[in-house]
Amino acid sequence: MFRAALLAACLALAWSDTPANCLYEDIRGTWTFQETERSGDSSLSCDALGPVVHTKTFTLSFPDTATDELGNEGTWTMVWNQGFEVNINERSYFAFSYYEGDFTSSTSYCDRTFNGWSRDKTIRNWSCFSAQKNTKVAPRTSRKVTQPLSKLHKAYKNDEKLVSDINASQTSWRAKAYPEHEKFSRYQMFLRAGGPGAVVSNPPSPAPATPQQKARVSFLPENFDWRDVEGVNYVSDVRDQGGCGSCYTFASMGQIETRLRIATRSQRQDVFSTQDVVSCSSLSQGCLGGFNYLIAGRYAMDQGVVAEECNPYTGSDDLCATDSSCSRTFVSDYSYLGGYYGACNEELMLQALVENGPLSVSYMVYDDFYNYDGGIYHHTGFKNDFNPFEMVTHAVLLVGYGVDNTTGEKFWTVKNSWGADWGEDGYFRIRRGTNECSIESMAVDITAIP
């Protein structure tokens, strides 16, 4: 019954959220922004553009410099392969790249955007805008989901041979079959790892570390974990996202929760509503996936986040039902680590983790990861014969790092959102220093307001 209802919901949505697939070179160049009157507030809907009052020309240059027609400079960044953000002249602009079609077959028109949102640095004076690149970009046809829906909606089945092959081939980590996984469909397991909105074929590589970056991290401790800093645990409890592709919001809320605990010396112990993001944010794709940069960062700055009881988690694409009387908590700053998408590396992550707090990160999920039971994970290359999956990108919370005493293998310690019975009490360790599964290329840093 539940599976049938989920299938009906997906068909009703037509898988139509963000199947865009735009590359850095598609976006770099000169754009014309058509912008409405700057008199709105954070409730502004940009479904319709409205009368154009401001026309601006921005040139987006390598690696992250934005310049207007008068020579004023700012910054810009890609947001995954989905859109881009420009910060210039005390204003911030974000829009998703334009596409037609759905996740199974789409055409991306990367030289134009959907209607987006702009506001000033004080989070006031909102407007809508659309952008058109001054040079044409050839349309790109892509398929983010190649499996037929009929296969995805079959029951998930544990692959005992996969588990056996993993354990026989290496000793760095252990695999096991989780009986509780078989309560999900293949589609729900696909959503647990990120969903169709997080299918990406070209994650960025880490930026080369500078001598200065290497020198700074040489003074850091060999092992560090925010669950035990002088006997204090600053990390909120592990939660379970269920069969909804909401990992991005669990990672985002977890980051804000821990940053607040650190900033207030554990005086604030908030647990924030993930359902508020799933159901209410125009920057998220609900249960089909999303991006921690937009949620831990832009949404938390623009709209703020609310306590769990203000909109309890249901794990489904419900209508927005957040209690409007609830107070909101905000962040004052956010960025991709290094300043823009593609500037991250191990050294920056180490420094930011110790100095600022846990980081929301993303990495590629392969078939073997679902069966992780403990140890230091690396992708083995084994495939699941029973459950064909797309390679997706999962958002999680980085809380620590270390070195294995026996093998000398370096690792990150990461909080997942698959419940406390999975992995190492809901956590996993993954190889560090080798960009395992792209985990060292997409970290997000924020500053929470106590």
Side-chain angles (χ1 to χ4, degrees):
M1 178 68 178
F2 176 75
R3 193 181 310 140
L6 182 61
L7 176 58
C10 290
L11 292 176
L13 285 169
W15 292 55
S16 61
D17 286 274
T18 57
N21 182 25
C22 295
L23 306 181
Y24 182 89
E25 288 304 320
D26 297 335
I27 306 302
R28 184 169 72 164
T30 300
W31 291 73
T32 298
F33 282 40
Q34 301 283 333
E35 187 180 353
T36 64
E37 184 179 6
R38 298 169 176 174
S39 58
D41 58 24
S42 61
S43 65
L44 181 66
S45 169
C46 291
D47 292 341
L49 185 61
V52 172
V53 176
H54 306 279
T55 299
K56 303 293 294 181
T57 301
F58 298 130
T59 298
L60 312 181
S61 305
F62 177 85
D64 67 331
T65 301
T67 309
D68 72 5
E69 65 275 13
L70 300 176
N72 299 308
E73 288 193 357
T75 61
W76 74 282
T77 181
M78 296 281 293
V79 178
W80 211 255
N81 57 356
Q82 301 289 289
F84 60 96
E85 182 181 73
V86 179
N87 293 287
I88 191 170
N89 297 332
E90 303 298 308
R91 291 191 69 79
S92 181
Y93 300 81
F94 171 75
F96 288 106
S97 294
Y98 187 80
Y99 67 88
E100 292 177 356
D102 56 39
F103 283 111
T104 58
S105 181
S106 66
T107 301
S108 299
Y109 298 90
C110 301
D111 52 10
R112 58 183 291 200
T113 69
F114 286 103
N115 294 339
W117 301 265
S118 174
R119 41 80 174 163
D120 67 21
K121 291 190 69 173
T122 67
I123 325 298
R124 298 183 180 94
N125 303 311
W126 285 64
S127 62
C128 301
F129 78 97
S130 66
Q132 178 80 50
K133 194 175 183 182
N134 291 7
T135 53
K136 287 288 186 181
V137 174
R140 178 178 293 104
T141 300
S142 59
R143 295 171 60 87
K144 285 196 170 185
V145 178
T146 59
Q147 294 293 335
L149 281 175
S150 59
K151 284 190 176 182
L152 283 174
H153 286 280
K154 290 181 178 179
Y156 180 88
K157 183 179 180 181
N158 281 310
D159 187 344
E160 298 289 351
K161 182 178 182 301
L162 173 66
V163 172
S164 177
D165 287 344
I166 293 169
N167 290 331
S169 69
Q170 49 81 49
T171 58
S172 181
W173 64 280
R174 304 177 305 279
K176 77 173 187 180
Y178 287 90
E180 53 268 35
H181 284 174
E182 296 192 346
K183 72 181 181 182
F184 296 112
S185 68
R186 292 174 181 175
Y187 178 64
Q188 289 172 309
M189 289 294 285
F190 174 52
L191 291 179
R192 279 169 73 79
V199 176
V200 61
S201 57
N202 55 330
S205 299
T210 66
Q212 294 82 2
Q213 290 170 352
K214 291 180 179 180
R216 283 194 292 267
V217 300
S218 68
F219 294 100
L220 298 178
E222 186 175 57
N223 297 276
F224 186 85
D225 195 317
W226 279 105
R227 293 174 297 173
D228 183 7
V229 177
E230 298 180 348
V232 179
N233 177 12
Y234 290 97
V235 183
S236 51
D237 291 343
V238 171
R239 300 177 66 185
D240 192 339
Q241 69 189 75
C244 171
S246 53
C247 58
Y248 64 96
T249 190
F250 279 88
S252 297
M253 296 306 104
Q255 183 175 23
I256 299 170
E257 290 161 4
T258 54
R259 293 296 182 95
L260 278 177
R261 293 184 181 203
I262 294 167
T264 65
R265 298 181 180 269
S266 293
Q267 293 303 302
R268 287 191 63 169
Q269 297 276 325
D270 302 71
V271 175
F272 292 116
S273 171
T274 50
Q275 192 65 42
D276 173 68
V277 175
V278 169
S279 296
C280 305
S281 174
S282 56
L283 297 177
S284 89
Q285 289 75 59
C287 281
L288 294 182
F291 308 96
N292 43 348
Y293 179 85
L294 292 178
I295 300 308
R298 195 172 185 96
Y299 183 72
M301 175 179 280
D302 290 354
Q303 310 292 341
V305 297
V306 297
E308 170 67 14
E309 56 266 25
C310 298
N311 193 345
Y313 187 65
T314 65
S316 59
D317 282 308
D318 299 334
L319 294 175
C320 182
T322 299
D323 183 346
S324 60
S325 68
C326 287
S327 62
R328 290 188 171 263
T329 296
F330 296 84
V331 304
S332 60
D333 194 19
Y334 66 94
S335 67
Y336 282 115
L337 209 56
Y340 57 92
Y341 184 68
C344 189
N345 59 37
E346 178 196 8
E347 287 76 11
L348 288 173
M349 291 169 67
L350 288 166
Q351 184 179 358
L353 178 68
V354 173
E355 293 182 357
N356 302 336
L359 302 165
S360 56
V361 298
S362 302
Y363 68 103
M364 313 306 292
V365 172
Y366 297 89
D367 291 2
D368 57 357
F369 182 77
Y370 292 93
N371 298 104
Y372 173 87
D373 183 40
I376 301 173
Y377 173 79
H378 65 274
H379 175 44
T380 62
F382 290 109
K383 297 285 290 181
N384 189 319
D385 293 333
F386 290 116
N387 310 291
F389 285 120
E390 311 290 336
M391 183 176 65
V392 297
T393 306
H394 188 41
V396 288
L397 187 68
L398 182 69
V399 303
Y401 65 86
V403 178
D404 185 88
N405 290 331
T406 303
T407 66
E409 191 170 19
K410 300 192 302 181
F411 61 84
W412 299 110
T413 302
V414 189
K415 177 186 176 185
N416 202 358
S417 51
W418 292 355
D421 293 330
W422 179 89
E424 297 179 332
D425 299 322
Y427 291 78
F428 66 96
R429 288 175 291 159
I430 186 171
R431 279 182 180 171
R432 172 167 62 91
T434 59
N435 196 32
E436 183 67 38
C437 301
S438 298
I439 197 167
E440 288 157 7
S441 61
M442 296 175 277
V444 174
D445 203 7
I446 64 167
T447 303
I449 303 175

